Amino acid sequence: MIVGYRSTIITLSHHKLGNGKTISSNAIFQRSCRVRCSHSTTPSMDGFEDARERIRETFGKVELSPSSYDTAWVAMVPSKHSLNEPCFPQCLDWIIENQREDGSWGLNPSHPLLLKDSLSSTLACLLALSKWRVGDEQIKRGLGFIETYGWAVDSKDQISPLGFEIIFSTMIKFAEKLNLNLPLDLDIIVNLVNCKRDSTIKRNDEYMGEGLGELCDWKEIIKLHQRQNGSLFDSPATTAAALIYHQHDKKCYEYLNSILQQHKNWVPTMYPTKIHSLLCLVDTLQNLGVHRHFKSEIKKVLDEIYRLWQQKNEEIFSNVTHCAMAFRLLRMSYYDVSSDELAEFVVEEHFFATSGKYSSHVAILELHKASQLAIDHEKDDILDKINNWTRTFLEQKLLNNGFIDRMSKKEVELALRKFYTTCDRAENRRYIKSYEENNFKILKAAYRSPNINNKDLLIFSIHDFDLCQAQHREELQQLKRWFEDCRLDQLGLSEQFIYTTYLMSIAVVSDPEFSDARLMYAKYGMLLTMVDDLFDGFASKDELLNIIELVERWDDYASVGYNSERVKVFFSVFYKSIEELATIAEIKQGRSVKTHLINLWLEVMKCMLIERLEWWTSKTMPSIEEYLYVTSITFGSRLVPLTTQYYLGINISKDLLESDEIYDLCNCAGIFMRLLNDLQTYKREQGESSMNLVTILMTQSPRRKNISEEEAIMKIKEILESNRRQLLKMVLVQKKGSQLPQLCKEIIWWSSKMICFTYSHGDEYKFPEEMKNYIDEVIYNPLNH
């Protein structure tokens, strides 16, 4: 079933205590609820709208924070007319004016893990001041900082800027030429020189050109790598180094001048920054779970990114991170983008050869995220190959504690879990908890994006999450009243099902405006569980036939009569519930949809009857095709998503809900969900002599040759992955002539994703406590940042 998950939820009934005794899950949930009541107040709206407007304005702000490191290299560029004068004296002024109190330069405010960045930026600034013989007092204070914190140069507990060993050791030699005596321990200098020698032997990385200095063939680098905007790798520091060592290149000068025309007397560590900032802003809003508030702004951004993608824009395609992120955001937003554009990153060795040994882990992380969006086995073989090596790389990084800052580590851990196995609202919460307004990223220098890392976004996200929680708690109270009014506990349904089915409804229909759809989804989940229990053995054959006849003669059920008291109690609850939901659906749609709702239930019940009477009781083995068809229906893959469509505020015609397109979607999703269940439960079902595809495959292989359990499982995994990709393709790729609203497709995908989340936890007997934790995180626990 789609929401009941009998195989999983049934295990929620009891928990072991440390003393060997058991306590019912109802008691645990009720105990939790008494604590949760204290968090039931609705958050204030003070400042919420103002913050939203300020965030909207950030879509027009695309700058990065100043980079002391890059500004220093630009400051060292000599004038075109005299080697004894600076070409950009305004950068020297900025350096003098922006020294920090401790004598250092770097990201402001700094971070305890950025001492290497501060040392690199400080040394670069000292070189600029010393070269032009200015700022004696600033030089003295800067040397004091290096003396105090020089120990961090070879510390493994500090985050290293890209190419730090190469660049810092070169700057030390530069300092010697300028007679700038650095108060660094000799052993540290020796270690850096050795690291530089080893690195340059392994790979000549032009992005670190300022760290290789005169060893570079700058004429050749400019010939091979100069971008249309005049830069080398969009790096002000590398471009400035070309002018320092090569001295004459008009386009390099024009590039640096264009930056200073915008920023007056400083430069960022990367330029241009528009695409980078906008991609990161959209990604951040999605991660925080507040993107629905900025739909028009995000669409405008993605339309522009897509236009540039089609034009093979250099700012996107010359940067691995930009290319991978643009591909992911565009594909997940239904734009037609091909994975062919990522083909050059298929081989790990080639990636590092073209991108450099010191490529940021962010680029590899973005490649991995993009690689999870394969929608066709043959065409997206590119993504599979990228997925293989990036997963191995990131797992090894985690194993070796390669991520010092918690944000990077959390992002990698989440990405490795696969995006279709997560509960989005829980991940939104965790992202908000990890979000810091002073968070940073790092290339050759650390930087921030003011439109992404700011207090408004943090406060807005927390407030929005609080508002959603308040609404969820109110909806949960409505479900409890419905549960009590229907006396579902008398039909053997535990109160805990209220919580589990409602959490799953949030995962499928998360936007606050879809309250009716969420409540309906949860109610259907409980009703489906109740029906499944009856057909799974609690009721006799005569009782089941009686129930089906009552549903078939819905408007004249009184003339049918009840076979037993159990049937009477069940049908009275079922009838009242469906009538109530049909009334709400009629109001939403402006027409009666009750007949369709009843027919969907009849389809499920009749297929359940086949499972019970023909397969289980009569011990008849179905064909593979028949098994998948029947069990995907009894799983609820058509019943729940199709019914949900009526509550989304979209007018859905009868023809559309009975079209081939939505049938194919439900069929593909149903097979996917059923196979997930079968892989999870086959051991238990074998012990119960229940039907499962593993057992069927072992006795009905296409070649009429018995196969092993392991081979059957491998075959199911292949079918499962094929259906997942096909389903994702149906949802993401716009079918020509399709009349089906995108939201309708998404409901079916999110239902499948929610099942994937359920079964991704492995051992079903460990799931109850995890489910309780998710319920607390999404609904009850306040988000105190």
Side-chain angles (χ1 to χ4, degrees):
M1 64 194 108
I2 192 168
V3 182
Y5 313 117
R6 177 172 179 75
S7 63
T8 297
I9 295 181
I10 197 74
T11 65
L12 284 165
S13 59
H14 289 85
H15 292 267
K16 289 280 187 180
L17 296 178
N19 56 10
K21 296 180 180 179
T22 61
I23 181 171
S24 72
S25 290
N26 277 344
I28 292 176
F29 277 100
Q30 289 165 3
R31 187 180 301 170
S32 299
C33 291
R34 288 195 291 270
V35 176
R36 294 163 180 162
C37 290
S38 61
H39 306 311
S40 60
T41 56
T42 303
S44 166
M45 293 292 289
D46 292 346
F48 189 71
E49 291 299 328
D50 290 341
R52 176 158 44 193
E53 287 308 310
R54 287 194 294 272
I55 293 168
R56 283 201 175 103
E57 293 172 4
T58 65
F59 280 88
K61 300 175 184 176
V62 292
E63 65 182 42
L64 301 186
S65 56
S67 169
S68 304
Y69 171 81
D70 289 82
T71 301
W73 278 98
V74 173
M76 284 187 267
V77 174
S79 169
K80 289 183 284 188
H81 309 294
S82 172
L83 296 179
N84 298 318
E85 295 179 2
C87 185
F88 305 106
Q90 66 269 45
C91 291
L92 278 175
D93 294 337
W94 186 90
I95 290 170
I96 290 173
E97 293 167 3
N98 285 273
Q99 187 175 30
R100 298 189 295 215
E101 289 186 9
D102 61 2
S104 68
W105 284 268
L107 189 63
N108 195 23
S110 190
H111 188 281
L113 294 176
L114 286 179
L115 282 177
K116 286 187 180 181
D117 178 69
S118 294
L119 286 166
S120 179
S121 297
T122 298
L123 181 50
C125 288
L126 293 180
L127 294 178
L129 296 175
S130 298
K131 179 174 181 177
W132 305 118
R133 297 182 176 84
V134 296
D136 290 344
E137 180 59 30
Q138 284 78 17
I139 291 174
K140 181 179 178 181
R141 292 175 58 215
L143 290 173
F145 175 82
I146 290 177
E147 182 176 18
T148 302
Y149 294 100
W151 57 267
V153 169
D154 58 357
S155 171
K156 294 182 179 180
D157 296 325
Q158 287 286 318
I159 297 174
S160 288
L162 295 183
F164 175 78
E165 292 85 359
I166 290 178
I167 295 171
F168 200 81
S169 60
T170 295
M171 289 196 293
I172 290 174
K173 289 188 174 295
F174 199 165
E176 291 174 357
K177 291 181 180 180
L178 295 173
N179 294 318
L180 181 63
N181 295 318
L182 300 178
L184 285 172
D185 186 276
L186 182 60
D187 289 339
I188 290 177
I189 296 175
V190 171
N191 287 338
L192 279 174
V193 171
N194 288 337
C195 285
K196 177 185 177 182
R197 184 184 66 243
D198 293 341
S199 299
T200 52
I201 288 173
K202 292 176 183 175
R203 198 177 316 278
N204 189 7
D205 196 326
E206 291 90 349
Y207 175 59
M208 316 299 171
E210 65 268 36
L212 302 175
E214 295 172 347
L215 296 175
C216 282
D217 184 345
W218 286 100
K219 185 176 181 180
E220 185 68 10
I221 289 176
I222 290 173
K223 178 182 177 182
L224 293 175
H225 299 292
Q226 190 167 49
R227 306 242 166 114
Q228 293 175 8
N229 58 26
S231 76
L232 296 177
F233 313 103
D234 289 340
S235 168
T238 308
T239 308
L243 291 174
I244 293 169
Y245 294 106
H246 184 59
Q247 295 181 7
H248 300 293
D249 187 87
K250 182 181 178 182
K251 291 181 71 178
C252 286
Y253 278 112
E254 289 175 348
Y255 168 73
L256 296 178
N257 269 313
S258 69
I259 305 176
L260 291 169
Q261 284 176 6
Q262 179 175 340
H263 297 301
K264 308 303 181 185
N265 56 4
W266 59 269
V267 300
T269 196
M270 169 201 325
Y271 188 89
T273 60
K274 180 179 180 180
I275 287 176
H276 174 84
S277 295
L278 290 176
L279 286 172
C280 290
L281 179 57
V282 171
D283 194 41
T284 299
L285 291 172
Q286 291 180 353
N287 289 333
L288 291 169
V290 296
H291 51 291
R292 69 183 185 282
H293 293 284
F294 309 99
K295 288 180 180 178
S296 61
E297 291 83 2
I298 289 174
K299 186 180 186 305
K300 185 177 179 181
V301 167
L302 292 180
D303 283 347
E304 174 65 8
I305 296 295
Y306 185 56
R307 183 183 69 80
L308 296 174
W309 178 278
Q310 292 178 306
Q311 294 175 356
K312 302 285 199 273
N313 177 268
E314 187 181 53
E315 192 178 344
I316 293 177
F317 288 98
S318 63
N319 185 296
V320 180
T321 302
H322 296 172
C323 186
M325 188 182 290
F327 172 82
R328 172 171 59 86
L329 293 176
L330 289 172
R331 175 164 280 192
M332 286 303 291
S333 299
Y334 322 115
Y335 294 84
D336 182 17
V337 288
S338 171
S339 59
D340 290 346
E341 304 297 349
L342 301 176
E344 65 178 297
F345 311 124
V346 160
V347 180
E348 180 178 1
E349 290 75 14
H350 180 70
F351 167 80
F352 284 112
T354 56
S355 303
K357 175 184 174 183
Y358 295 96
S359 295
S360 169
H361 80 269
V362 174
I364 299 171
L365 176 60
E366 285 302 330
L367 274 176
H368 184 72
K369 290 178 182 178
S371 73
Q372 296 185 33
L373 299 182
I375 56 177
D376 184 279
H377 273 298
E378 183 178 351
K379 290 180 67 176
D380 277 343
D381 183 55
I382 290 168
L383 297 183
D384 290 335
K385 291 176 180 177
I386 293 173
N387 184 273
N388 289 337
W389 77 259
T390 54
R391 170 171 287 275
T392 301
F393 179 91
L394 293 171
E395 285 175 342
Q396 195 62 42
K397 270 277 194 179
L398 284 176
L399 190 64
N400 297 334
N401 294 316
F403 301 104
I404 298 172
D405 58 308
R406 65 169 182 161
M407 193 69 167
S408 296
K409 186 176 180 181
K410 292 287 185 185
E411 282 187 292
V412 170
E413 288 173 340
L414 176 59
L416 290 174
R417 283 169 51 197
K418 299 179 182 178
F419 80 99
Y420 50 86
T421 64
T422 58
C423 174
D424 288 349
R425 288 306 290 164
E427 296 309 329
N428 293 152
R429 177 193 178 92
R430 291 167 191 174
Y431 194 89
I432 295 170
K433 292 285 285 185
S434 299
Y435 181 91
E436 299 175 7
E437 58 187 282
N438 289 326
N439 192 33
F440 60 86
K441 294 184 179 179
I442 194 161
L443 295 171
K444 288 184 289 188
Y447 67 94
R448 291 191 181 96
S449 302
N451 58 330
I452 298 169
N453 306 112
N454 61 68
K455 192 172 183 179
D456 278 333
L457 250 182
L458 177 59
I459 293 174
F460 183 81
S461 300
I462 293 173
H463 197 78
D464 178 74
F465 197 90
D466 289 345
L467 287 171
C468 289
Q469 278 192 320
Q471 181 172 348
H472 294 334
R473 289 192 292 269
E474 173 54 36
E475 290 172 3
L476 203 47
Q477 291 303 313
Q478 293 180 46
L479 275 179
K480 286 181 180 180
R481 289 192 290 270
W482 174 81
F483 184 93
E484 292 169 359
D485 290 344
C486 292
R487 295 179 293 178
L488 294 184
D489 57 330
Q490 295 182 17
L491 289 166
L493 206 62
S494 167
E495 186 181 339
Q496 70 194 49
F497 279 82
I498 301 172
Y499 299 93
T500 51
T501 55
Y502 182 64
L503 175 68
M504 293 171 185
S505 74
I506 294 172
V508 175
V509 198
S510 60
D511 286 2
E513 63 265 31
F514 299 132
S515 178
D516 287 335
R518 260 190 309 282
L519 290 170
M520 170 263 136
Y521 204 102
K523 290 175 181 178
Y524 258 47
M526 285 183 269
L527 291 173
L528 186 54
T529 302
M530 186 173 65
V531 171
D532 184 66
D533 283 343
L534 285 172
F535 280 77
D536 207 25
F538 293 169
S540 67
K541 174 183 174 180
D542 289 341
E543 286 175 321
L544 298 182
L545 292 173
N546 185 202
I547 289 171
I548 289 176
E549 186 179 3
L550 286 166
V551 176
E552 286 177 329
R553 297 175 61 178
W554 189 268
D555 291 329
D556 189 32
Y557 74 89
S559 65
V560 176
Y562 303 111
N563 184 275
S564 68
E565 183 64 22
R566 174 162 49 193
V567 171
K568 180 180 180 180
V569 172
F570 161 76
F571 189 75
S572 64
V573 170
F574 185 75
Y575 182 87
K576 177 183 177 182
S577 300
I578 300 304
E579 284 287 332
E580 171 200 323
L581 292 169
T583 300
I584 298 172
E586 183 174 348
I587 294 170
K588 291 276 185 182
Q589 294 296 314
R591 63 183 178 87
S592 175
V593 298
K594 183 167 66 175
T595 300
H596 185 232
L597 299 185
I598 293 168
N599 287 338
L600 285 172
W601 275 106
L602 270 174
E603 180 182 50
V604 170
M605 290 178 176
K606 288 179 178 180
C607 284
M608 285 181 174
L609 197 65
I610 292 173
E611 287 183 321
R612 168 77 182 274
L613 299 184
E614 295 184 19
W615 298 354
W616 191 69
T617 303
S618 302
K619 305 297 181 184
T620 302
M621 182 77 73
S623 67
I624 295 171
E625 293 75 16
E626 182 187 9
Y627 174 82
L628 289 175
Y629 173 77
V630 170
T631 57
S632 66
I633 289 175
T634 59
F635 206 86
S637 62
R638 284 170 50 78
L639 171 70
V640 183
L642 290 184
T643 305
T644 306
Q645 313 289 347
Y646 289 130
Y647 300 84
L648 298 174
I650 303 171
N651 285 326
I652 304 292
S653 69
K654 180 176 180 290
D655 290 342
L656 198 57
L657 281 181
E658 294 177 354
S659 65
D660 290 341
E661 183 178 7
I662 202 162
Y663 175 85
D664 291 341
L665 271 165
C666 289
N667 185 55
C668 187
I671 293 174
F672 174 68
M673 291 185 278
R674 167 51 61 184
L675 294 183
L676 280 169
N677 175 83
D678 282 12
L679 282 176
Q680 181 71 16
T681 62
Y682 77 93
K683 285 287 188 185
R684 176 175 56 79
E685 289 175 338
Q686 282 177 346
E688 298 172 351
S689 299
S690 297
M691 204 62 66
N692 186 288
L693 190 58
V694 174
T695 305
I696 296 174
L697 282 175
M698 289 171 66
T699 56
Q700 292 188 22
S701 63
R703 297 177 183 176
R704 296 297 174 186
K705 178 182 177 183
N706 289 351
I707 62 175
S708 68
E709 182 179 289
E710 184 179 351
E711 289 172 319
I713 291 171
M714 288 300 297
K715 179 63 177 175
I716 291 175
K717 287 182 177 179
E718 289 175 9
I719 301 172
L720 181 69
E721 180 61 12
S722 176
N723 273 267
R724 186 193 67 78
R725 294 183 184 214
Q726 184 62 27
L727 178 60
L728 189 59
K729 182 178 181 178
M730 290 178 177
V731 174
L732 296 183
V733 178
Q734 300 298 314
K735 189 175 181 180
K736 191 173 182 180
S738 172
Q739 299 297 313
L740 193 62
Q742 191 61 44
L743 182 58
C744 298
K745 300 178 187 178
E746 289 172 350
I747 291 297
I748 296 171
W749 166 252
W750 288 330
S751 295
S752 303
K753 187 174 184 288
M754 179 263 296
I755 297 293
C756 224
F757 157 69
T758 303
Y759 288 126
S760 67
H761 294 269
D763 184 353
E764 63 186 74
Y765 291 95
K766 292 180 181 177
F767 188 68
E769 189 60 34
E770 292 191 45
M771 177 66 89
K772 179 182 174 298
N773 291 338
Y774 278 110
I775 291 168
D776 285 338
E777 287 184 352
V778 174
I779 302 173
Y780 286 110
N781 292 346
L783 187 55
N784 298 320
H785 193 273

